Amino acid sequence: MQNSSASNIFDALNFDNRFVRELPADPEPDNYRRQVYQACYSRVQPKTAKAPRLVAYSSEMAEIIGLSEETCRTDEFCQVFAGNRLAPGMEPYATCYGGHQFGHWAGQLGDGRAINLGDIVNVHGQRWALQLKGAGLTPYSRSADGLAVLRSSIREFLCSEAMHHLGVPTTRALSVILSGEQVVRDMFYDGNPQLEAGAVVCRTAPSFTRFGSFQIFAARDDLETLKKLIDYTIRTDFPHLGEPSKALYLQWFEEVCRKTAEMVAHWQRVGFVHGVMNTDNMSILGLTIDYGPYGWLENYDPDWTPNTTDAQGRRYRFGNQPTIAYWNLVQLANALYPIIQKAAPLEEALSAYSATYENAWQNMMAGKLGLLSFDPASDETLCADLATLLKTAETDMTLFYRNLADLNSSDDVSAIHRLLEQCSYKALRTEAREMASLWFKAYQARLKRDNRSNADRQQSMNAVNPLYVLRNYLAQQAIDLAEQDDFSIVWDLLDTLRKPYTQQTGREQFAKKRPDWAKQRAGCSMLSCSS
Ligand code: AMP
Ligand code: MG
């Protein structure tokens, strides 16, 4: 680690490192793996990357924090966001948190390979924390190496930005940079370790605080630090709520419940499967965080999970995400209980999750189907029958909804058969064909009740049903080429996914169903936590 500060091209970054200033620090200056008590963070220095090389950056994110595209193309940028130099105002640290992993309390986890550089406040007064992922060991690295590989870094970078443009609450990403180091990974934990290219992502968010950030102090009965973190979080990340107090804690928790519900409803809308919804991967701001073995539904299957580490129990399968988010909120409620000391109001706040989710889901489904509003009397059945049909016909979720907008309330049933034939992964058999006819007639009758013009309905459907998502195999194609030093697909995908709801000429290859070769290929439908 060189101590020299990067020159004034970073002067625009206005740091206000409130987290380190206001919260208790680990007094130990040395960087070795350990349990850290009564502290929210430890100071650390990023590891020197041998030969940093830019893979890609997000121009939108650069602009938000006040950096020009010109700056992003400098060597200084590469050095700073690979962790080799600190820009003026950066104060690197790793945070302490715990978590439930796959339903079991795992104790201290913490930023094992994430190093925060500090928080900037931009010209609009917005706070953005900058964090390097894969920049070396911290006291929280446990038995791992603190590094990340190119494939998982490209996946995190592209997906964060894609989710943002889809309108899904998410952490963002500024850059992905090759470190020039080789990293050993056993991708499927099957005794086949390989050398892979190392990389560092700079990700950004108003805050990276997780459910597990609170849980760790409750688990250790350190109520003093727990209260400090809660008060800090309310003042910094939820300032609109007012000054912290016991009554306000409940209001705050209820807001966390509502934000979490809204986030998960968005996941279900776009077909995103997080893959590792452990409580350390749940953001207090209701942002999608920690892009690991996530995946996108291709053939509609609520039981699908991309994460091979979860293949047995399928705890984090698509259809279970709303239930797991609730389970995670219950764990957060348990962590807050010693401060609030009343169970009933916490339970009441938790019920806000269910109510918000139900409402968000209904609105979301009405939107996807182009209905003016959700009428439970008819639309519960309409949605349930559609889910059965899409599953039976093995239909690509994204393409189905997108193309459904083109069908009219007066079309013959053959229109839905043709649509399913185009979007499905197997031939349309009699059973599915009959199901489709019945469903389509019910749908058309429902549309007639709304008495809306086809053009109006089509436009509203296309605003919520994306044409372009980061299909698993597309990310893998970008990675395969990037591993040969060609980052062109990374840039093409980044650009296409900026406008996921707009059909883009010349980008047809990004709106196709999964090709046969990708069905069983590692990285395309099967991913592990190894990253
Ligand atoms: P995840 O499954 O990515 O949410 O990670 C769970 C925990 O393991 C977190 O505390 C991570 O910081 C840590 N971790 C994951 N990969 C590494 C790594 N390569 N080096 C150090 N810590 C890691
Ligand atoms: Mg994590």
Side-chain angles (χ1 to χ4, degrees):
M1 171 76 214
Q2 300 164 25
N3 281 326
S4 67
S5 286
S7 64
N8 51 19
I9 55 169
F10 294 111
D11 282 355
L13 299 181
N14 171 32
F15 280 95
D16 172 39
N17 302 329
R18 197 166 171 184
F19 195 92
V20 290
R21 199 167 66 234
E22 294 188 4
L23 288 169
D26 171 12
E28 172 61 63
D30 290 340
N31 189 356
Y32 62 93
R33 297 145 206 237
R34 59 183 181 270
Q35 292 292 307
V36 173
Y37 295 101
Q38 292 170 313
C40 292
Y41 68 94
S42 308
R43 291 188 187 269
V44 286
Q45 294 295 324
K47 175 185 188 295
T48 303
K50 260 194 209 138
R53 210 147 46 85
L54 181 75
V55 175
Y57 62 86
S58 154
S59 52
E60 294 91 342
M61 201 53 235
E63 192 187 336
I64 288 170
I65 63 168
L67 296 179
S68 66
E69 288 215 40
E70 200 187 350
T71 298
C72 297
R73 295 192 177 272
T74 61
D75 181 55
E76 283 292 88
F77 179 89
C78 215
Q79 298 292 339
V80 166
F81 292 104
N84 282 0
R85 287 182 207 156
L86 296 179
M90 288 180 174
E91 291 183 87
Y93 63 95
T95 71
C96 181
Y97 56 76
H100 279 86
Q101 296 185 313
F102 298 95
H104 304 284
W105 176 244
Q108 178 182 297
L109 298 166
D111 289 330
R113 55 165 165 180
I115 298 184
N116 301 275
L117 299 172
D119 296 359
I120 64 114
V121 176
N122 72 4
V123 288
H124 308 293
Q126 298 164 331
R127 177 172 293 273
W128 285 92
L130 307 185
Q131 185 181 84
L132 300 183
K133 185 164 173 183
L137 293 170
T138 77
Y140 310 98
S141 297
R142 300 182 292 154
S143 58
D145 58 9
L147 304 175
V149 292
L150 182 63
R151 66 181 152 81
S152 60
S153 303
I154 289 177
R155 283 170 51 82
E156 173 138 24
F157 172 80
L158 283 178
C159 203
S160 327
E161 291 305 280
M163 291 284 267
H164 165 72
H165 294 295
L166 281 165
V168 184
T170 178
T171 62
R172 302 284 303 272
L174 172 66
S175 56
V176 50
I177 294 174
L178 274 162
S179 65
E181 320 256 343
Q182 296 281 297
V183 175
V184 181
R185 286 290 181 272
D186 185 356
M187 205 200 300
F188 286 107
Y189 307 111
D190 59 359
N192 281 307
Q194 309 265 328
L195 281 176
E196 294 190 48
V200 178
V201 169
C202 176
R203 55 183 189 178
T204 56
S207 159
F208 285 103
T209 301
R210 301 135 189 275
F211 291 7
S213 310
F214 302 91
Q215 286 185 282
I216 187 73
F217 301 118
R220 288 170 168 172
D221 212 16
D222 177 1
L223 303 190
E224 196 184 323
T225 315
L226 175 60
K227 186 169 179 306
K228 280 184 188 158
L229 182 64
I230 296 173
D231 289 354
Y232 172 87
T233 302
I234 291 174
R235 289 198 179 105
T236 315
D237 303 314
F238 295 79
H240 54 278
L241 290 179
E243 262 307 283
S245 69
K246 259 198 187 177
L248 201 89
Y249 292 157
L250 285 164
Q251 228 180 302
W252 166 65
F253 177 61
E254 196 181 305
E255 187 162 325
V256 176
C257 290
R258 282 200 305 264
K259 282 181 179 257
T260 305
E262 280 156 16
M263 171 188 76
V264 177
H266 277 291
W267 290 358
Q268 307 307 100
R269 171 174 65 88
V270 298
F272 175 78
V273 190
H274 183 285
V276 208
M277 290 176 72
N278 293 334
T279 58
D280 54 304
N281 292 338
M282 296 293 293
S283 144
I284 202 70
L285 286 173
L287 306 173
T288 313
I289 188 173
D290 273 7
Y291 290 89
Y294 68 80
W296 293 83
L297 272 195
E298 284 155 340
N299 53 302
Y300 179 82
D301 176 5
D303 290 331
W304 183 69
T305 174
N307 185 359
T308 53
T309 317
D310 189 26
Q312 283 281 307
R314 292 179 187 259
R315 180 179 172 84
Y316 299 140
R317 61 191 183 273
F318 177 70
N320 211 30
Q321 295 188 126
T323 306
I324 290 293
Y326 182 82
W327 190 91
N328 288 341
L329 283 162
V330 172
Q331 307 316 312
L332 178 61
N334 287 338
L336 303 181
Y337 175 77
I339 300 289
I340 293 170
Q341 289 180 327
K342 284 188 195 134
L346 276 169
E347 279 164 16
E348 206 176 304
L350 276 167
S351 68
Y353 171 85
S354 314
T356 309
Y357 183 76
E358 181 68 12
N359 195 266
W361 184 83
Q362 291 188 349
N363 288 337
M364 178 267 279
M365 286 310 298
K368 287 186 82 64
L369 291 172
L371 309 176
L372 287 172
S373 66
F374 192 89
D375 174 6
S378 53
D379 303 344
E380 294 279 3
T381 314
L382 192 69
C383 291
D385 290 351
L386 177 59
T388 311
L389 169 62
L390 296 184
K391 186 171 174 179
T392 309
E394 289 184 26
T395 306
D396 188 276
M397 175 176 154
T398 304
L399 291 179
F400 176 81
Y401 280 105
R402 187 72 189 189
N403 290 316
L404 183 65
D406 298 336
L407 303 196
N408 289 335
S409 44
S410 53
D411 280 345
D412 184 81
V413 286
S414 60
I416 191 90
H417 297 156
R418 272 197 308 279
L419 190 157
L420 286 166
E421 269 155 10
Q422 277 161 19
C423 308
S424 297
Y425 290 93
K426 67 175 192 194
L428 200 61
R429 302 226 168 84
T430 316
E431 187 198 8
R433 194 173 286 272
E434 284 167 4
M435 245 185 231
S437 306
L438 286 174
W439 181 81
F440 192 53
K441 282 179 190 153
Y443 178 56
Q444 288 177 312
R446 179 66 184 85
L447 291 181
K448 283 188 181 133
R449 259 168 56 200
D450 274 355
N451 198 21
R452 193 181 194 185
S453 79
N454 283 319
D456 182 34
R457 176 176 55 84
Q458 186 174 49
Q459 197 182 18
S460 79
M461 287 172 79
N462 286 350
V464 295
N465 294 320
L467 176 58
Y468 305 100
V469 295
L470 186 59
R471 290 175 177 275
N472 312 308
Y473 82 92
L474 293 177
Q476 190 56 42
Q477 285 180 325
I479 291 163
D480 287 344
L481 206 62
E483 284 174 341
Q484 324 273 316
D485 252 12
D486 179 342
F487 310 131
S488 55
I489 305 185
V490 175
W491 285 102
D492 282 352
L493 278 173
L494 178 68
D495 197 40
T496 306
L497 295 167
R498 282 191 166 112
K499 290 195 180 127
Y501 301 101
T502 309
Q503 187 157 13
Q504 300 168 46
T505 320
R507 257 87 195 246
E508 293 75 16
Q509 75 273 27
F510 295 139
K512 291 209 165 117
K513 20 176 223 205
R514 177 193 65 218
D516 282 345
W517 61 260
K519 191 169 181 191
Q520 297 299 338
R521 215 197 121 185
C524 294
S525 59
M526 298 177 296
L527 292 130
S528 76
C529 287
S530 160
S531 57

